[in-house]
Amino acid sequence: MDDPLEPDTVQSELKILRSGVISWWRTQEFNFPWRTREGSEWEALVTEVLLQRTRANAVKELYREFFKKYSSIERLHDASEGEIRDDISSLGLHWRAEYLSSLGTELSERGGRVPEDRADIEDLPGIGQYAAGAFLTFQRHRRVTFIDANIVKLLGRFLGFEWDGETRRKAWFVDLADAFFDHDYPPAKFGYAVLDFTREVCGRTPECESCPVQKDCAFP
Ligand code: SF4
């Protein structure tokens, strides 16, 4: 194939990938409570912290109980770090309790309001570029980029370049991810489609046989 990162080639390849991902997603049904719940913004941001590097099905199992207990940002603010750690112990990554505790304090002091600017959201405890981008996409329906290891893997396999743990921070890759997220679909739907596709199809073990973009994919 042509150089996968040559600008004209990459635009057409990304269009094929986006189209394949969203077409696949429209035939699927995934039921995660945070996608349908009309919660407040602070709940949506806390949910992104719970989902970080964690299986969505594991979060699903504790989601309702967690927000039943932490029914207000003040309740999260008042909880001790140890209490939060116990409540999320089934998710692993226990250091998250410290971030959730600090996030509860910060957002409580803001009256539960999440800042408007992406940079300010990224600066909140435990957030960063991925959670901020996901929050803006799913809660505020903005067309923004968010990058995690699964998205790096998807683009690397599909376009045929090698990647490692640092790839997501490289300027050329951020430009590539921006091009991938420069689409005309409803932002939340496209975001969910990418998350679901990288979990169910192009995951740890890619399901190439049933993949809708296999014929255009550079993965061997
Ligand atoms: S063909 Fe395989 S490697 Fe390529 S995008 Fe589909 S699942 Fe991923």
Side-chain angles (χ1 to χ4, degrees), residues 115-161:
E116 280 305 308
D117 289 348
R118 178 168 186 160
D120 294 333
I121 300 172
E122 289 187 9
D123 283 346
L124 290 169
I127 301 303
Q129 73 78 23
Y130 176 84
F135 168 81
L136 289 169
T137 299
F138 302 126
Q139 184 68 22
R140 294 191 183 157
H141 302 278
R142 292 198 200 154
R143 195 167 287 110
V144 299
T145 301
F146 55 93
I147 300 169
D148 69 355
N150 291 339
I151 291 169
V152 176
K153 192 162 49 188
L154 171 66
L155 294 178
R157 284 172 177 162
F158 185 76
L159 295 173
F161 61 84

Short mmCIF file of all heavy atoms in Angstrom, two decimals, residues 115-161:
data_model
loop_
_atom_site.label_atom_id
_atom_site.label_comp_id
_atom_site.label_asym_id
_atom_site.label_seq_id
_atom_site.Cartn_x
_atom_site.Cartn_y
_atom_site.Cartn_z
N PRO A 115 -15.73 22.83 34.83
CA PRO A 115 -15.30 24.01 34.05
C PRO A 115 -15.70 23.90 32.58
O PRO A 115 -15.92 22.82 32.05
CB PRO A 115 -13.77 23.99 34.20
CG PRO A 115 -13.49 23.16 35.39
CD PRO A 115 -14.60 22.17 35.51
N GLU A 116 -15.73 25.05 31.93
CA GLU A 116 -16.07 25.10 30.51
C GLU A 116 -14.90 24.70 29.62
O GLU A 116 -15.06 23.95 28.66
CB GLU A 116 -16.52 26.51 30.12
CG GLU A 116 -17.95 26.84 30.48
CD GLU A 116 -18.93 25.84 29.89
OE1 GLU A 116 -18.88 25.59 28.67
OE2 GLU A 116 -19.74 25.30 30.67
N ASP A 117 -13.72 25.20 29.94
CA ASP A 117 -12.56 24.99 29.06
C ASP A 117 -11.94 23.61 29.24
O ASP A 117 -11.78 23.12 30.37
CB ASP A 117 -11.49 26.05 29.35
CG ASP A 117 -11.92 27.42 28.88
OD1 ASP A 117 -12.93 27.50 28.15
OD2 ASP A 117 -11.26 28.40 29.26
N ARG A 118 -11.54 23.03 28.12
CA ARG A 118 -10.92 21.71 28.17
C ARG A 118 -9.66 21.72 29.04
O ARG A 118 -9.44 20.79 29.82
CB ARG A 118 -10.57 21.24 26.75
CG ARG A 118 -9.88 19.89 26.76
CD ARG A 118 -9.79 19.25 25.40
NE ARG A 118 -9.24 17.90 25.54
CZ ARG A 118 -9.37 16.94 24.65
NH1 ARG A 118 -10.00 17.18 23.53
NH2 ARG A 118 -8.86 15.75 24.87
N ALA A 119 -8.85 22.76 28.89
CA ALA A 119 -7.60 22.79 29.67
C ALA A 119 -7.90 22.77 31.17
O ALA A 119 -7.19 22.12 31.94
CB ALA A 119 -6.79 24.02 29.29
N ASP A 120 -8.93 23.47 31.58
CA ASP A 120 -9.28 23.50 33.01
C ASP A 120 -9.82 22.14 33.47
O ASP A 120 -9.59 21.74 34.61
CB ASP A 120 -10.32 24.59 33.28
CG ASP A 120 -9.75 25.98 33.04
OD1 ASP A 120 -8.51 26.14 33.18
OD2 ASP A 120 -10.52 26.89 32.70
N ILE A 121 -10.55 21.48 32.59
CA ILE A 121 -11.07 20.14 32.94
C ILE A 121 -9.89 19.16 33.07
O ILE A 121 -9.83 18.36 34.02
CB ILE A 121 -12.07 19.64 31.89
CG1 ILE A 121 -13.26 20.60 31.79
CG2 ILE A 121 -12.58 18.23 32.24
CD1 ILE A 121 -14.21 20.30 30.64
N GLU A 122 -8.95 19.24 32.11
CA GLU A 122 -7.80 18.34 32.15
C GLU A 122 -6.99 18.49 33.43
O GLU A 122 -6.36 17.54 33.90
CB GLU A 122 -6.89 18.59 30.94
CG GLU A 122 -7.50 18.13 29.63
CD GLU A 122 -6.52 18.24 28.46
OE1 GLU A 122 -5.32 18.50 28.69
OE2 GLU A 122 -6.98 18.05 27.32
N ASP A 123 -7.01 19.70 33.99
CA ASP A 123 -6.21 19.96 35.20
C ASP A 123 -6.87 19.44 36.48
O ASP A 123 -6.24 19.46 37.54
CB ASP A 123 -5.98 21.48 35.35
CG ASP A 123 -4.89 21.97 34.40
OD1 ASP A 123 -4.17 21.11 33.86
OD2 ASP A 123 -4.79 23.18 34.20
N LEU A 124 -8.11 19.01 36.40
CA LEU A 124 -8.77 18.50 37.61
C LEU A 124 -8.12 17.18 38.04
O LEU A 124 -7.58 16.44 37.20
CB LEU A 124 -10.26 18.29 37.33
CG LEU A 124 -11.10 19.56 37.15
CD1 LEU A 124 -12.49 19.20 36.62
CD2 LEU A 124 -11.21 20.34 38.46
N PRO A 125 -8.18 16.85 39.33
CA PRO A 125 -7.51 15.63 39.81
C PRO A 125 -7.99 14.37 39.09
O PRO A 125 -9.20 14.14 38.97
CB PRO A 125 -7.91 15.57 41.30
CG PRO A 125 -8.26 16.97 41.66
CD PRO A 125 -8.83 17.60 40.42
N GLY A 126 -7.02 13.60 38.56
CA GLY A 126 -7.34 12.31 37.95
C GLY A 126 -7.96 12.40 36.58
O GLY A 126 -8.44 11.38 36.05
N ILE A 127 -7.96 13.55 35.93
CA ILE A 127 -8.65 13.68 34.64
C ILE A 127 -7.68 13.54 33.47
O ILE A 127 -7.47 12.45 32.97
CB ILE A 127 -9.46 14.99 34.59
CG1 ILE A 127 -10.49 15.01 35.74
CG2 ILE A 127 -10.20 15.10 33.25
CD1 ILE A 127 -11.45 13.84 35.74
N GLY A 128 -7.01 14.59 33.02
CA GLY A 128 -6.09 14.46 31.88
C GLY A 128 -6.83 14.49 30.55
O GLY A 128 -8.06 14.65 30.49
N GLN A 129 -6.06 14.33 29.45
CA GLN A 129 -6.62 14.55 28.11
C GLN A 129 -7.71 13.55 27.75
O GLN A 129 -8.70 13.92 27.12
CB GLN A 129 -5.52 14.60 27.04
CG GLN A 129 -4.84 13.28 26.66
CD GLN A 129 -5.64 12.39 25.73
OE1 GLN A 129 -6.52 12.86 25.01
NE2 GLN A 129 -5.37 11.10 25.76
N TYR A 130 -7.52 12.28 28.11
CA TYR A 130 -8.52 11.29 27.69
C TYR A 130 -9.87 11.53 28.36
O TYR A 130 -10.92 11.62 27.70
CB TYR A 130 -8.04 9.86 27.99
CG TYR A 130 -9.11 8.85 27.65
CD1 TYR A 130 -9.24 8.39 26.35
CD2 TYR A 130 -10.03 8.43 28.61
CE1 TYR A 130 -10.27 7.51 26.00
CE2 TYR A 130 -11.05 7.55 28.28
CZ TYR A 130 -11.16 7.09 26.98
OH TYR A 130 -12.17 6.24 26.65
N ALA A 131 -9.86 11.61 29.70
CA ALA A 131 -11.13 11.75 30.42
C ALA A 131 -11.81 13.08 30.07
O ALA A 131 -13.04 13.14 29.93
CB ALA A 131 -10.91 11.64 31.92
N ALA A 132 -11.00 14.14 29.90
CA ALA A 132 -11.59 15.43 29.53
C ALA A 132 -12.24 15.34 28.15
O ALA A 132 -13.36 15.83 27.93
CB ALA A 132 -10.52 16.53 29.55
N GLY A 133 -11.53 14.71 27.20
CA GLY A 133 -12.08 14.57 25.85
C GLY A 133 -13.33 13.71 25.83
O GLY A 133 -14.32 14.03 25.15
N ALA A 134 -13.30 12.62 26.60
CA ALA A 134 -14.48 11.75 26.66
C ALA A 134 -15.65 12.49 27.29
O ALA A 134 -16.79 12.41 26.80
CB ALA A 134 -14.14 10.49 27.45
N PHE A 135 -15.39 13.22 28.36
CA PHE A 135 -16.46 13.99 29.01
C PHE A 135 -17.09 14.99 28.03
O PHE A 135 -18.31 15.08 27.92
CB PHE A 135 -15.89 14.72 30.23
CG PHE A 135 -16.81 15.75 30.81
CD1 PHE A 135 -17.84 15.38 31.66
CD2 PHE A 135 -16.68 17.09 30.47
CE1 PHE A 135 -18.72 16.32 32.18
CE2 PHE A 135 -17.55 18.04 30.97
CZ PHE A 135 -18.58 17.66 31.84
N LEU A 136 -16.24 15.73 27.32
CA LEU A 136 -16.77 16.74 26.38
C LEU A 136 -17.54 16.07 25.25
O LEU A 136 -18.55 16.60 24.77
CB LEU A 136 -15.62 17.58 25.82
CG LEU A 136 -14.98 18.54 26.82
CD1 LEU A 136 -13.70 19.13 26.26
CD2 LEU A 136 -15.96 19.65 27.20
N THR A 137 -17.08 14.91 24.83
CA THR A 137 -17.76 14.19 23.74
C THR A 137 -19.12 13.67 24.19
O THR A 137 -20.14 13.90 23.53
CB THR A 137 -16.89 12.99 23.29
OG1 THR A 137 -15.64 13.49 22.81
CG2 THR A 137 -17.58 12.20 22.19
N PHE A 138 -19.15 12.97 25.31
CA PHE A 138 -20.36 12.26 25.71
C PHE A 138 -21.34 13.12 26.50
O PHE A 138 -22.54 12.91 26.44
CB PHE A 138 -19.99 11.01 26.53
CG PHE A 138 -19.10 10.07 25.76
CD1 PHE A 138 -17.90 9.64 26.29
CD2 PHE A 138 -19.47 9.65 24.49
CE1 PHE A 138 -17.07 8.79 25.56
CE2 PHE A 138 -18.65 8.80 23.75
CZ PHE A 138 -17.44 8.38 24.29
N GLN A 139 -20.82 14.08 27.25
CA GLN A 139 -21.71 14.90 28.08
C GLN A 139 -22.11 16.19 27.38
O GLN A 139 -23.25 16.61 27.46
CB GLN A 139 -21.00 15.21 29.40
CG GLN A 139 -21.85 15.98 30.41
CD GLN A 139 -23.01 15.15 30.95
OE1 GLN A 139 -22.97 13.92 30.91
NE2 GLN A 139 -24.06 15.81 31.44
N ARG A 140 -21.15 16.80 26.68
CA ARG A 140 -21.46 18.10 26.05
C ARG A 140 -21.55 18.00 24.53
O ARG A 140 -21.71 19.00 23.85
CB ARG A 140 -20.40 19.13 26.45
CG ARG A 140 -20.46 19.45 27.95
CD ARG A 140 -19.61 20.63 28.31
NE ARG A 140 -19.64 20.85 29.75
CZ ARG A 140 -18.71 21.49 30.42
NH1 ARG A 140 -17.66 22.00 29.78
NH2 ARG A 140 -18.82 21.65 31.72
N HIS A 141 -21.40 16.79 24.02
CA HIS A 141 -21.58 16.53 22.59
C HIS A 141 -20.71 17.42 21.72
O HIS A 141 -21.13 17.94 20.70
CB HIS A 141 -23.07 16.67 22.22
CG HIS A 141 -23.93 15.74 23.02
ND1 HIS A 141 -24.12 14.42 22.69
CD2 HIS A 141 -24.60 15.94 24.18
CE1 HIS A 141 -24.87 13.84 23.60
NE2 HIS A 141 -25.18 14.73 24.52
N ARG A 142 -19.47 17.57 22.14
CA ARG A 142 -18.52 18.34 21.34
C ARG A 142 -17.65 17.38 20.53
O ARG A 142 -17.32 16.29 20.99
CB ARG A 142 -17.61 19.18 22.25
CG ARG A 142 -18.38 20.29 22.93
CD ARG A 142 -17.42 21.36 23.44
NE ARG A 142 -18.05 22.14 24.48
CZ ARG A 142 -17.40 22.78 25.44
NH1 ARG A 142 -16.08 22.73 25.47
NH2 ARG A 142 -18.06 23.47 26.34
N ARG A 143 -17.27 17.82 19.35
CA ARG A 143 -16.45 16.98 18.48
C ARG A 143 -14.98 17.23 18.82
O ARG A 143 -14.37 18.16 18.30
CB ARG A 143 -16.76 17.32 17.01
CG ARG A 143 -16.26 16.29 16.02
CD ARG A 143 -16.85 16.50 14.65
NE ARG A 143 -18.25 16.11 14.60
CZ ARG A 143 -19.27 16.95 14.49
NH1 ARG A 143 -19.05 18.23 14.38
NH2 ARG A 143 -20.51 16.50 14.45
N VAL A 144 -14.46 16.45 19.74
CA VAL A 144 -13.08 16.63 20.19
C VAL A 144 -12.36 15.29 20.13
O VAL A 144 -12.98 14.23 20.01
CB VAL A 144 -13.01 17.18 21.63
CG1 VAL A 144 -13.69 18.54 21.72
CG2 VAL A 144 -13.65 16.20 22.62
N THR A 145 -11.04 15.35 20.21
CA THR A 145 -10.21 14.14 20.16
C THR A 145 -9.98 13.61 21.57
O THR A 145 -9.79 14.38 22.50
CB THR A 145 -8.84 14.48 19.54
OG1 THR A 145 -9.06 15.01 18.23
CG2 THR A 145 -7.94 13.26 19.47
N PHE A 146 -10.04 12.31 21.71
CA PHE A 146 -9.54 11.69 22.96
C PHE A 146 -8.77 10.43 22.57
O PHE A 146 -9.18 9.69 21.68
CB PHE A 146 -10.67 11.40 23.96
CG PHE A 146 -11.80 10.57 23.44
CD1 PHE A 146 -11.79 9.19 23.60
CD2 PHE A 146 -12.88 11.16 22.80
CE1 PHE A 146 -12.84 8.42 23.12
CE2 PHE A 146 -13.93 10.39 22.32
CZ PHE A 146 -13.91 9.01 22.48
N ILE A 147 -7.66 10.25 23.22
CA ILE A 147 -6.73 9.18 22.82
C ILE A 147 -6.45 8.26 24.00
O ILE A 147 -6.08 8.72 25.08
CB ILE A 147 -5.38 9.78 22.37
CG1 ILE A 147 -5.57 10.73 21.18
CG2 ILE A 147 -4.40 8.66 22.01
CD1 ILE A 147 -4.32 11.56 20.86
N ASP A 148 -6.65 6.97 23.79
CA ASP A 148 -6.18 6.00 24.76
C ASP A 148 -5.40 4.91 24.01
O ASP A 148 -5.25 4.96 22.78
CB ASP A 148 -7.34 5.41 25.59
CG ASP A 148 -8.25 4.52 24.78
OD1 ASP A 148 -8.07 4.40 23.55
OD2 ASP A 148 -9.18 3.94 25.38
N ALA A 149 -4.90 3.94 24.76
CA ALA A 149 -4.06 2.91 24.15
C ALA A 149 -4.82 2.14 23.07
O ALA A 149 -4.23 1.72 22.06
CB ALA A 149 -3.56 1.95 25.22
N ASN A 150 -6.12 1.95 23.25
CA ASN A 150 -6.89 1.19 22.27
C ASN A 150 -7.01 1.94 20.94
O ASN A 150 -7.03 1.32 19.88
CB ASN A 150 -8.30 0.91 22.81
CG ASN A 150 -8.25 -0.08 23.96
OD1 ASN A 150 -7.29 -0.82 24.10
ND2 ASN A 150 -9.28 -0.07 24.79
N ILE A 151 -7.11 3.24 21.01
CA ILE A 151 -7.21 4.03 19.78
C ILE A 151 -5.86 4.05 19.05
O ILE A 151 -5.80 3.95 17.82
CB ILE A 151 -7.74 5.45 20.10
CG1 ILE A 151 -9.21 5.33 20.53
CG2 ILE A 151 -7.59 6.39 18.90
CD1 ILE A 151 -9.81 6.58 21.12
N VAL A 152 -4.77 4.13 19.81
CA VAL A 152 -3.44 4.03 19.20
C VAL A 152 -3.31 2.69 18.47
O VAL A 152 -2.85 2.62 17.33
CB VAL A 152 -2.34 4.16 20.28
CG1 VAL A 152 -0.96 3.95 19.65
CG2 VAL A 152 -2.41 5.51 20.98
N LYS A 153 -3.74 1.64 19.14
CA LYS A 153 -3.63 0.29 18.58
C LYS A 153 -4.48 0.16 17.32
O LYS A 153 -4.03 -0.39 16.31
CB LYS A 153 -4.11 -0.71 19.64
CG LYS A 153 -3.81 -2.14 19.34
CD LYS A 153 -3.90 -3.00 20.61
CE LYS A 153 -5.19 -2.74 21.37
NZ LYS A 153 -5.23 -3.38 22.67
N LEU A 154 -5.69 0.67 17.35
CA LEU A 154 -6.57 0.60 16.18
C LEU A 154 -5.94 1.30 14.99
O LEU A 154 -5.86 0.75 13.88
CB LEU A 154 -7.93 1.23 16.51
CG LEU A 154 -8.88 1.44 15.32
CD1 LEU A 154 -9.33 0.09 14.74
CD2 LEU A 154 -10.10 2.27 15.73
N LEU A 155 -5.48 2.54 15.19
CA LEU A 155 -4.91 3.29 14.07
C LEU A 155 -3.60 2.67 13.61
O LEU A 155 -3.32 2.63 12.41
CB LEU A 155 -4.70 4.76 14.48
CG LEU A 155 -6.00 5.54 14.75
CD1 LEU A 155 -5.70 6.97 15.21
CD2 LEU A 155 -6.89 5.59 13.52
N GLY A 156 -2.80 2.17 14.56
CA GLY A 156 -1.54 1.52 14.18
C GLY A 156 -1.78 0.29 13.34
O GLY A 156 -1.12 0.08 12.31
N ARG A 157 -2.71 -0.54 13.76
CA ARG A 157 -3.00 -1.75 12.98
C ARG A 157 -3.59 -1.41 11.62
O ARG A 157 -3.17 -1.95 10.60
CB ARG A 157 -4.00 -2.64 13.75
CG ARG A 157 -3.41 -3.40 14.92
CD ARG A 157 -4.52 -4.07 15.69
NE ARG A 157 -4.05 -4.90 16.78
CZ ARG A 157 -4.82 -5.29 17.78
NH1 ARG A 157 -6.09 -4.93 17.83
NH2 ARG A 157 -4.33 -6.04 18.74
N PHE A 158 -4.55 -0.53 11.62
CA PHE A 158 -5.27 -0.24 10.38
C PHE A 158 -4.37 0.44 9.34
O PHE A 158 -4.42 0.10 8.15
CB PHE A 158 -6.51 0.62 10.67
CG PHE A 158 -7.37 0.84 9.47
CD1 PHE A 158 -8.20 -0.17 8.99
CD2 PHE A 158 -7.35 2.05 8.80
CE1 PHE A 158 -8.99 0.03 7.86
CE2 PHE A 158 -8.14 2.26 7.67
CZ PHE A 158 -8.96 1.24 7.20
N LEU A 159 -3.58 1.40 9.82
CA LEU A 159 -2.75 2.15 8.87
C LEU A 159 -1.38 1.51 8.67
O LEU A 159 -0.66 1.86 7.72
CB LEU A 159 -2.58 3.59 9.35
CG LEU A 159 -3.87 4.42 9.38
CD1 LEU A 159 -3.61 5.77 10.04
CD2 LEU A 159 -4.44 4.62 7.98
N GLY A 160 -1.00 0.59 9.55
CA GLY A 160 0.24 -0.15 9.34
C GLY A 160 1.48 0.55 9.85
O GLY A 160 2.50 0.55 9.16
N PHE A 161 1.42 1.18 11.02
CA PHE A 161 2.65 1.72 11.60
C PHE A 161 2.86 1.09 12.97
O PHE A 161 1.92 0.59 13.59
CB PHE A 161 2.61 3.26 11.70
CG PHE A 161 1.49 3.82 12.56
CD1 PHE A 161 1.63 3.92 13.95
CD2 PHE A 161 0.30 4.24 11.98
CE1 PHE A 161 0.61 4.44 14.73
CE2 PHE A 161 -0.73 4.75 12.76
CZ PHE A 161 -0.57 4.86 14.14
#
